[in-house]
């Protein structure tokens, strides 16, 4: 033992020295990012510290050759804008669209400052990755959206698609900091779940092909019974809200529905939030309003906001329904207006039946609102609008029966948030927190056999026994909502098809990469 | 049309009025949280604005009856501490452990300020949800962890488990704000993926039981071929890093491995990060170091940090390996030390072979490090330690071959971050960014038939064709890492079993709720 000690100590010395040793440069990645090379967005905004010896990493967007010099536009994903670089025709020879380069040179005022205030006069070109221009799929202009969807791993290179990625990132940051300030606890709810009966349509099954002999802990299903991909985090969030108070999650969510529309995917992100000790539906709607306003406000001045407004006619966005920058600005302004209208379902139905609009589905009390109805209401009010107190017969079992609503039939304390030209963004409700009432609601939704609570066996209570349990010991009035995160991003960015918002979209028959 | 207009206008009026109308209270949930009732954490820290008419929502943790008065401890998940309330024995009669209440009264200095500076002298008790004490499963003290694992929907009510939930939330916030400041774009990578061959072990399959006739777009598999739950976001992140620059995600990740250990789950959260235009492995390790330090630092002064240190002998945490508060504080201090040791795999093997420790697996160049080896190294150096440059034969196909390492065999530019008494937390590497080298690495890993790139058909390239594509047009040097988020939380909190950290843990044979 006495012999070994010194050797180990030596390793500790080696290890400590190694921090600044031969294998490892002492410069931090974060520091070197800030000093050696700057993202193009920062360079364009603030210029370099020293105008000589400026290095830029990026990808060639275009090369324009003149007799004596070549103009090369470089992008790095940090902005929609390109950096203009001046090269000799010899330097530019090996460059074509898509080539990855490091350019080093002098940062000089541009003779044409309308286009760009400065440009890089390049002294050194390092080609980091070549690009065979003839075969580069992202090179052609005006590719169809459908063509681009076949290659999600490459289409994010289109400058506006990097704007969409940065919009997503900014929105997550903003929501995280807002809800943290407001005392909400962010949690991670499970993806693989035991229940397929939350009333949200068809579900994906999860399986692990069996290998080896069946044993006591392994009957071949991995989990000993069929499991599913979550259709909503709500039920699990309710458990957490009873433990830690107001809580939320931004979680992948799945629907195995074979719908092939602009607004539906098989896999999408949903922001779900539950509030405990809350008795008024309006309290839940207030949070929705503030949250959506909070992510919208920065767009009025942020780089991402400016890029969205300036990008209306860009490559790769040839959608016939493309939305003008005026429309987008109007959307943002209406979101930021003081309070959004709130009408009841019954009022909404009256509004629809009294309208002269030519609806494909006749509006009728007791039936759901179709997308044309939703859009008519929000378009007419020209604002995000909460429609509340829907008939209980068309809503899931967990919603609280209304006591204050004066509608002609039975209703629940719930709301949908509808957006002009878009439809539903958020669905929320007060939850049935009383044991007996929850059981009878599940019975009337055909999820449980009839009879009093005590008479039901564990087998009958089934996969939602744990959810019912939450009402047994110290249940409190509570409510919450689910917000389609990809839909929100699409609305804010003016991109109507969710397949362009979701980076690797999955829907029936389609799962690229 | 002229007849209808006024009616619609009327609805707009109704809708606008309704904002402050009868159905909806005008008080915001956020505002009402701040004024009407305060979370117990805030009340204990800062006291109420007015000491009379203070209302508190929470759950009864204990009731102690004396002749003339009853002491009731209330918790609401915002802190480990209880609020002490004084009631008359009559008022306390309907209360038992687990009951949800709203208590209103006067905030008065306590006669015993060592325990708590103030207490609530209750004038009004509102029972919001009763609790049958005799049947409440969370009531007994010293329940085994295994017992609690059978009811994840209730065990989060244990005060220390709310600390763990708040730790998770704080860490997510801190990471989100840190990486946003550093210019990293947060993204959402897909959960359902096309490839099962990333070299990360067994995978779950995703299926949608077929209903209705087989059609052109629907052969019964939903996606037209077998799909899987992701085992890593890395490959998709690499695509995004080439588009938008440095990027990261905190994403659910799945392994269908039948391991039944403290450190493995079938579903867990992984923080994955990719940096583009990076040439040194040390740059990637620097980010890991700064990131982990950033989430650790607040613990020295935050409520969650104090709660972790003060919670060592709490109910529901009877783990025989329970870790003392001194150990935890030491962990934090070592994490916050200036630079962590970095040694090569070859040095690590030498260190192990020269040690007199009695290893179950003999350390040998060319074999992986087992958990006992990892712990020996990190324990000896008494610090998080990066072990770098492992043999390429035991690492996945996508890692970059080392050129500067002087080891006796072929190595790759990679690292594992090892923690004392815990083992691996992070794995990272530079990625093979050159097309030809990637292809030959895939060939030597048995993933592709031999032959030059051009000779391989799309069918042969298979499900990773898109990943190979990334090397065709402007590929750049890049690297990244994956960090086991649940493991990090467990290490910081001194909870050695990941099943207590993950709220709804799933492993072989087990998927409650």
């Amino acid at each position: 033992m006495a012999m070994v000690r010194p050797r180990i100590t030596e390793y500790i010395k080696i290890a400590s020295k190694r921090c600044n040793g031969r294998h490892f440069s002492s410069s931090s990645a974060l520091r070197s990012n800030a000093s050696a090379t700057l993202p193009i967005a920062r360079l364009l905004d603030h210029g370099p510290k020293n105008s000589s010896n400026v290095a830029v990493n990026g990808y060639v967007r275009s090369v324009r050759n003149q007799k004596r010099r070549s103009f090369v536009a470089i992008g790095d994903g940090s902005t929609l804008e390109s950096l203009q670089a001046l090269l000799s025709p010899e330097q530019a020879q090996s460059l074509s669209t898509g080539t990855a380069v490091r350019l080093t040179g002098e940062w000089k005022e541009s003779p044409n400052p309308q286009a760009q205030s400065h440009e890089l006069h390049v002294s050194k070109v390092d080609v980091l990755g070549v690009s065979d221009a003839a075969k580069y799929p992202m090179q052609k202009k005006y590719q169809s959206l459908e063509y681009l969807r076949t290659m999600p791993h490459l289409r994010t290179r289109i400058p506006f698609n990097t704007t969409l990625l940065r919009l997503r990132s900014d929105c997550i940051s903003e929501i995280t900091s807002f809800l943290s300030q407001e005392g909400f606890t962010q949690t991670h709810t499970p993806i693989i779940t035991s229940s397929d009966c939350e009333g949200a349509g068809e579900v994906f099954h999860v399986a692990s092909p069996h290998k080896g002999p069946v044993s006591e802990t392994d009957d071949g299903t991995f989990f000993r019974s069929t499991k599913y991909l979550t259709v909503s985090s709500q039920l699990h969030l309710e458990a957490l809200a009873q433990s830690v108070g107001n809580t939320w999650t931004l979680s992948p969510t799945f629907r195995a529905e074979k719908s092939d529309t602009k607004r539906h995917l098989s896999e999408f992100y949903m922001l779900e939030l539950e509030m405990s000790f809350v008795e008024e539906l309006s309290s839940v709607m207030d949070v929705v309003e503030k949250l959506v306003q909070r992510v919208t406000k920065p767009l009025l001045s942020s780089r991402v906001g400016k890029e969205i407004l300036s990008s209306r006619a860009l490559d790769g966005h040839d959608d016939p329904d493309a939305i003008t920058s005026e429309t987008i600005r109007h959307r943002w302004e209406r979101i930021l207006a003081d309070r959004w209208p709130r009408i009841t379902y019954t009022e909404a139905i009256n509004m629809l039946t009294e309208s002269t609009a030519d609806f494909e589905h006749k509006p009728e009390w007791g039936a759901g609102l179709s997308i044309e109805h939703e859009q008519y209401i929000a378009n007419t009010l020209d604002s995000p609008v909460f429609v509340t107190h829907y008939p209980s017969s068309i809503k899931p079992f967990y919603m609280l029966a209304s006591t204050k609503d004066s509608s002609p039939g039975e209703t629940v304390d719930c709301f949908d948030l509808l957006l002009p030209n878009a439809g539903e963004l958020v669905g929320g409700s007060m939850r049935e927190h009383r044991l007996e009432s929850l059981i009878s609601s599940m019975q009337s939704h055909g999820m449980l056999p009839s009879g009093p609570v005590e008479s039901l066996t564990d087998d009958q209570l089934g996969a939602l026994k744990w959810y019912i349990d939450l009402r047994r010991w110290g249940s409190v009035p509570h409510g919450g909502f689910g917000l389609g995160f990809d839909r929100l991003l699409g609305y804010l960015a003016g991109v109507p098809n969710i397949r362009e918002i979701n980076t690797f979209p999955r829907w029936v028959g389609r799962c690229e990469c």
Side-chain angles (χ1 to χ4, degrees), chain A:
Chain A
M1 200 67 184
M3 292 294 289
V4 173
R5 277 276 170 226
R7 297 304 307 257
I8 297 298
T9 320
E10 216 160 282
Y11 279 109
I12 296 178
K13 267 192 225 155
I14 290 175
S16 315
K17 263 195 215 163
R18 184 59 40 78
C19 295
N20 302 305
R22 67 203 138 87
H23 283 273
F24 308 100
S25 87
S26 67
S27 74
S28 140
L30 306 178
R31 266 174 277 145
S32 73
N33 263 354
S35 63
T37 64
L38 284 176
I40 289 174
R42 284 190 51 180
L43 196 56
L44 294 179
D45 282 353
H46 306 293
K49 269 193 181 165
N50 290 306
S51 56
S52 66
N53 228 5
V54 171
V56 174
N57 292 323
Y59 306 89
V60 173
R61 287 183 178 168
S62 69
V63 179
R64 194 158 48 86
N65 287 314
Q66 291 187 350
K67 230 182 208 168
R68 298 204 186 161
R69 50 192 193 169
S70 298
F71 295 91
V72 177
I74 304 287
D76 67 354
S78 65
T79 165
L80 208 58
E81 292 174 75
S82 300
L83 178 131
Q84 174 148 296
L86 264 74
L87 286 75
S88 70
E90 295 72 39
Q91 286 175 319
Q93 222 163 23
S94 58
L95 307 185
S96 65
T97 305
T99 307
V101 288
R102 176 171 298 139
L103 301 180
T104 313
E106 200 171 347
W107 189 245
K108 283 190 180 170
E109 275 188 35
S110 160
N112 179 15
Q114 286 92 327
Q116 191 169 297
S117 74
H118 290 73
E119 49 195 18
L120 188 69
H121 291 242
V122 173
S123 53
K124 185 159 170 271
V125 175
D126 294 306
V127 172
L128 302 175
V130 296
S131 178
D132 182 347
K135 292 184 183 165
Y136 187 38
M138 292 296 105
Q139 194 176 38
K140 282 189 305 174
K141 293 199 171 186
Y142 310 114
Q143 293 141 320
S144 78
L145 291 172
E146 182 45 34
Y147 170 76
L148 292 171
R149 281 179 207 140
T150 64
M151 43 188 86
H153 61 301
L154 297 177
R155 71 171 180 170
T156 51
R157 299 181 181 192
I158 294 171
F160 183 65
N161 283 340
T162 72
T163 300
L164 295 181
L165 285 172
R166 285 179 280 114
L167 172 67
R168 180 178 292 267
S169 185
D170 288 358
C171 286
I172 304 172
S173 278
E174 203 65 50
I175 290 169
T176 303
S177 101
F178 171 66
L179 289 175
S180 162
Q181 283 159 18
E182 297 290 345
F184 284 72
T185 302
Q186 183 173 8
T187 52
H188 288 143
T189 44
I191 305 302
I192 301 177
T193 59
S194 291
S195 156
D196 68 340
C197 53
E198 292 166 37
E202 296 189 57
V203 297
F204 288 106
H205 290 213
V206 175
S208 164
H210 191 58
K211 288 173 190 167
V214 171
S215 69
E216 199 184 325
T217 54
D218 180 13
D219 64 355
T221 62
F222 197 90
F223 291 118
R224 290 195 250 183
S225 62
T226 312
K227 300 297 169 192
Y228 312 92
L229 290 184
T230 183
V231 294
S232 160
S233 304
Q234 178 200 318
L235 307 191
H236 294 89
L237 272 187
E238 286 185 55
L240 300 181
Q242 261 182 286
S243 305
V244 77
N246 295 348
T247 183
W248 69 288
T249 191
L250 180 57
S251 177
T253 309
F254 304 85
R255 304 280 159 91
E257 281 160 12
K258 296 192 173 126
S259 42
D260 189 356
T261 84
K262 282 185 191 185
R263 296 166 38 76
H264 296 90
L265 289 173
S266 299
E267 173 180 331
F268 53 98
Y269 265 79
M270 189 135 79
L271 191 165
E272 293 187 86
L273 183 149
E274 284 294 317
M275 301 167 70
S276 53
F277 297 104
V278 159
E279 285 169 58
E280 298 288 336
L281 188 61
S282 59
S283 308
V284 182
M285 290 189 280
D286 289 342
V287 176
V288 173
E289 202 171 290
K290 287 196 162 46
L291 185 79
V292 174
Q293 288 177 336
R294 173 73 176 246
V295 300
T296 305
K297 197 162 183 205
L299 295 176
L300 297 177
S301 57
S302 71
R303 171 175 292 281
V304 164
K306 283 175 202 152
E307 290 180 8
I308 291 170
L309 294 179
S310 71
S311 69
R312 287 302 97 195
L314 283 178
D315 302 354
H317 283 267
D318 58 358
D319 195 306
D321 301 337
I323 289 160
T324 66
S325 57
E326 287 69 33
T327 306
I328 294 175
R329 197 191 294 277
H330 183 71
R331 283 183 176 182
W332 297 350
E333 284 165 359
R334 295 305 296 155
I335 287 174
L336 293 170
D338 196 27
R339 297 294 300 262
W340 302 339
R342 300 173 179 194
I343 65 173
T344 65
Y345 166 86
T346 303
E347 288 164 347
I349 290 291
N350 291 343
M351 184 169 161
L352 293 165
T353 49
E354 286 166 23
S355 142
T356 53
D358 192 19
F359 296 120
E360 200 180 322
H361 300 91
K362 197 182 154 211
E364 207 166 357
W365 206 101
L369 300 181
S370 65
I371 178 84
E372 54 175 346
H373 301 150
E374 293 179 341
Q375 293 191 353
Y376 177 84
I377 293 164
N379 293 357
T380 304
L381 297 176
D382 186 27
S383 168
V385 50
F386 289 107
V387 176
T388 67
H389 300 96
Y390 284 68
S392 37
S393 58
I394 57 169
K395 287 291 180 182
F397 70 95
Y398 51 72
M399 292 188 177
L400 183 71
S402 306
T403 53
K404 294 182 196 162
D405 185 42
S406 58
S407 295
E410 214 172 283
T411 62
V412 281
D413 280 355
C414 73
F415 65 86
D416 278 2
L417 176 67
L418 312 182
L419 298 176
N421 296 313
E424 185 194 342
L425 175 69
V426 184
S429 79
M430 297 303 294
R431 319 304 189 186
E432 183 51 79
H433 64 284
R434 299 157 302 178
L435 180 61
E436 285 76 14
S437 313
L438 180 69
I439 296 288
S440 45
S441 172
M442 290 177 81
Q443 287 168 331
S444 69
H445 279 81
M447 298 167 69
L448 285 180
S450 58
V453 188
E454 316 80 57
S455 72
L456 299 169
T457 65
D458 280 8
D459 251 19
Q460 287 173 325
L461 296 176
L464 288 185
K465 176 184 177 299
W466 68 269
Y467 181 72
I468 296 165
D469 260 7
L470 299 177
R471 275 67 184 165
R472 292 187 197 275
W473 301 287
S475 183
V476 304
H478 64 286
F481 64 84
L483 177 154
F485 190 63
D486 302 277
R487 286 188 185 173
L488 173 63
L489 299 182
Y491 190 72
L492 294 175
V495 176
N497 196 324
I498 202 171
R499 290 168 193 169
E500 271 59 73
I501 286 293
N502 192 296
T503 316
F504 296 93
R506 279 90 175 84
W507 72 99
V508 60
R510 291 292 288 274
C511 174
E512 318 279 355
C513 300

